[in-house]
């Protein structure tokens, strides 16, 4: 099934055909003498009038709507504000308008997805920094023991945690490992 139900080209060819039939009938009715002497100026005048009428019709039916579609496409391409094109046409211009609307809808969805992704990445960066700030910066100094503790998460957040607690004469070492990695593991290990 064709998307185009009424073609601009076939419509205008039909109009031109109709005009030529009308002119043929007009001159067929008149005798040779009348055509040659009287109607020659009328013929050129009527041709000029019909050409003017066809140009006006073509301008209103094709050129103006096409300019509107092209103006919105140009706005989209240059990054300016564009508007949805409302039309009920089912010819080539209607297909262009529909295509433009679908493309801009897809751009809008992708743009929203990118904004959401950027927000999530920013939130993960903050959470990663918070998790890093919770961990001790240096290991305690314990006589007769060398302590080195570091963690590197597989993703932005990890499920590993450690800490050191010192009392007057003892040092306690806490090591935690939540199964998995990512946001859920990072939240559980931070609690």
């Amino acid at each position: 099934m064709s998307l185009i139900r009424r073609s601009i080209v076939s419509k205008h060819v039909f109009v031109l055909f109709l005009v030529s039939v009308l002119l043929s009938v007009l001159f067929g009715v008149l005798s040779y003498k009348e055509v040659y002497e009287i109607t020659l100026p009328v013929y050129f005048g009527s041709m000029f009038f019909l050409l003017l009428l066809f140009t006006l019709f073509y301008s209103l039916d094709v050129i103006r709507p096409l300019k509107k579609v092209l103006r919105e496409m140009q706005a989209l391409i240059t990054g300016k504000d564009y508007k949805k094109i409302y039309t009920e046409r089912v010819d080539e211009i209607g297909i262009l308008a529909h295509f433009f609307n679908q493309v801009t809808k897809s751009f809008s969805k992708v743009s929203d997805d990118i904004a959401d992704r950027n927000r999530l990445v920013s939130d993960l960066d903050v959470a990663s920094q918070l998790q890093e700030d919770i961990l001790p910066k240096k290991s305690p100094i314990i006589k007769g023991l060398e302590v080195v503790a570091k963690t590197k998460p597989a993703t932005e957040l990890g499920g590993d945690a450690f800490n050191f607690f010192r009392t007057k004469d003892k040092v306690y070492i806490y090591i935690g490992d939540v199964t998995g990695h990512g946001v859920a593991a990072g939240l559980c290990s931070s609690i």
Side-chain angles (χ1 to χ4, degrees), residues 6 13 16 28 44 56 105 115-116 118 138 160 169 180 182 188:
R6 288 182 309 217
V13 167
L16 284 174
F44 286 117
L56 179 67
K105 188 189 314 181
D116 288 345
N118 288 342
K138 53 186 186 172
D160 301 333
D169 55 345
C188 288

Side-chain angles (χ1 to χ4, degrees), residues 152-168:
K152 183 173 181 173
T155 59
E156 292 85 3
L157 298 175
D160 301 333
F162 63 89
N163 206 346
F164 308 104
F165 302 102
R166 185 179 287 270
T167 61
K168 287 184 183 180

Side-chain angles (χ1 to χ4, degrees), residues 12-26:
H12 291 98
V13 167
F14 176 73
V15 169
L16 284 174
F17 174 73
L18 191 62
V19 167
S20 64
V21 167
L22 288 173
L23 286 176
S24 298
V25 168
L26 173 69

